Amino acid sequence: MDVFGLLGNPVGHSLSPPMHEAAYDELGLDARYVTFEPDPDDLGAAIEGARALGIAGLNVTIPFKEAALDRVEPDDLAARIGAVNTLDFSDAGPGDPPTGHNTDAAGVRRAFAHHDVRLADRHAVVVGAGGAARATAFALADAGATLHVANRTADRAEALAADVGRATPSASTAPTAGGLDDLDDRVAAADVVVNATSVGMEEDRSPVPADALHADLAVLDAVYRPLDTRLLREARERGATTVDGAWMLLYQGVEAFERWTGLDAPVDAMNAALRARL
Ligand code: NAP
């Protein structure tokens, strides 16, 4: 039996176990997906122990995504983002670290692709500058979008835009950044908007002024609890294409599954298992 799992703290409400186990069931794989909650000081021991026990792959979530980078062999994208969420032990011999990947970025890219939203040469606004925003900003820049990062704390937006600009030399236009003051103008002129803040999770609020939303926009909200956020409702009312946060969550899992198994993921089964719990 192959064992996969999730390292995080806390992981009690994670949707990854039912999503991945639905894929194993659908394809008849002899595999299990288990959650682990190590003490934050024990991250290194947990990864080494997982390798020693023959665990095939691990997802990594809060608070370990950045710290895990130093304990893996990161691929280029994970190194540029500065965080990993997927560890692959398949090529790790005794004493070798696992390879480290960031499938959150693929989650964004594939969520848009699923909705036929083109990113190349489009103007994109990322709202937020935390972990989700970092993965989103790199995904959009790598896909060829022109990027503006807007965040409550403008300094953090500027730091993220500078990181993306430095680490994405292929980008034709350097990312810009700022606070939330001119977000309405930025969104009105954009083709793509991603909410990568936690606004909309605790209360029925949107980080984007409703009047700025328009029919030529594609809007992804990384928030998935609730699924239908105020931002998505207001975007839909104005005729925009909307993509909820479960698509991003689904496709980061799909990407991890495909990396670990080498198989095409049964996306519909994983999606159904995920949405049944939201
Ligand atoms: P994080 O690193 O803590 O970043 C939080 C971000 O939200 C920061 O940019 C912060 O701005 C901003 N923010 C918080 N409260 C705000 C407020 N009242 N007004 C304006 N901005 C505010 O969190 P994260 O890990 O990036 O997660 C962000 C969201 O994405 C969460 O809802 C999380 O569930 C979701 N997420 C979804 C997926 C998915 O697969 N769908 C994956 C990862 C995360 P400051 O810098 O000014 O504090």
Side-chain angles (χ1 to χ4, degrees):
M1 181 176 72
D2 289 329
V3 178
F4 302 92
L6 173 66
L7 283 186
N9 200 333
V11 289
H13 294 106
S14 172
L15 296 165
S16 290
M19 179 167 63
H20 282 275
E21 297 220 328
Y24 309 151
D25 288 349
E26 181 73 13
L27 298 183
L29 303 181
D30 186 17
R32 285 286 169 273
Y33 190 100
V34 188
T35 58
F36 301 100
E37 237 176 46
D39 187 276
D41 292 339
D42 286 336
L43 175 63
I47 293 174
E48 177 55 25
R51 188 199 55 74
L53 291 171
I55 287 177
L58 286 176
N59 284 133
V60 180
T61 188
I62 292 169
F64 298 126
K65 285 186 181 184
E66 289 82 18
L69 192 68
D70 296 334
R71 304 186 179 280
V72 301
E73 200 62 59
D75 69 10
D76 174 64
L77 178 61
R80 288 191 297 140
I81 294 173
V84 291
N85 76 331
T86 301
L87 313 188
D88 184 353
F89 293 87
S90 56
D91 293 329
D96 289 344
T99 57
H101 313 274
N102 190 310
T103 70
D104 286 332
V108 171
R109 180 175 47 77
R110 294 180 70 170
F112 278 122
H114 183 102
H115 290 80
D116 295 324
V117 174
R118 181 172 65 83
L119 298 172
D121 304 319
R122 310 299 287 284
H123 291 290
V125 175
V126 176
V127 190
R134 281 192 77 81
T136 300
F138 278 93
L140 297 177
D142 281 359
T146 305
L147 196 65
H148 179 78
V149 184
N151 192 47
R152 176 177 63 179
T153 309
D155 290 356
R156 295 188 73 200
E158 279 155 21
L160 173 52
D163 284 353
V164 173
R166 247 192 317 274
T168 316
S170 60
S172 52
T173 313
T176 57
L180 302 179
D181 298 353
D182 65 346
L183 187 56
D184 46 359
D185 291 341
R186 298 284 179 178
V187 169
D191 307 297
V192 174
V193 170
V194 178
N195 172 35
T197 74
S198 45
V199 176
M201 211 160 69
E202 300 284 325
E203 7 168 28
D204 190 36
R205 285 180 52 217
S206 167
V208 178
D211 288 348
L213 300 165
H214 55 87
D216 296 330
L217 207 52
V219 179
L220 165 63
D221 199 335
V223 171
Y224 55 87
R225 279 189 174 117
L227 208 46
D228 201 23
T229 59
R230 181 167 188 153
L231 168 60
L232 294 184
R233 290 199 312 275
E234 292 178 341
R236 209 164 42 236
E237 280 164 17
R238 282 158 182 79
T241 300
T242 56
V243 183
D244 68 47
W247 291 108
M248 177 178 169
L249 187 61
L250 169 69
Y251 277 108
Q252 65 75 29
V254 163
E255 185 87 3
F257 175 91
E258 291 179 343
R259 173 167 293 283
W260 289 331
T261 65
L263 303 171
D264 286 341
V267 174
D268 291 346
M270 294 173 77
N271 191 29
L274 181 59
R275 284 175 191 274
R277 287 160 181 85
L278 283 170

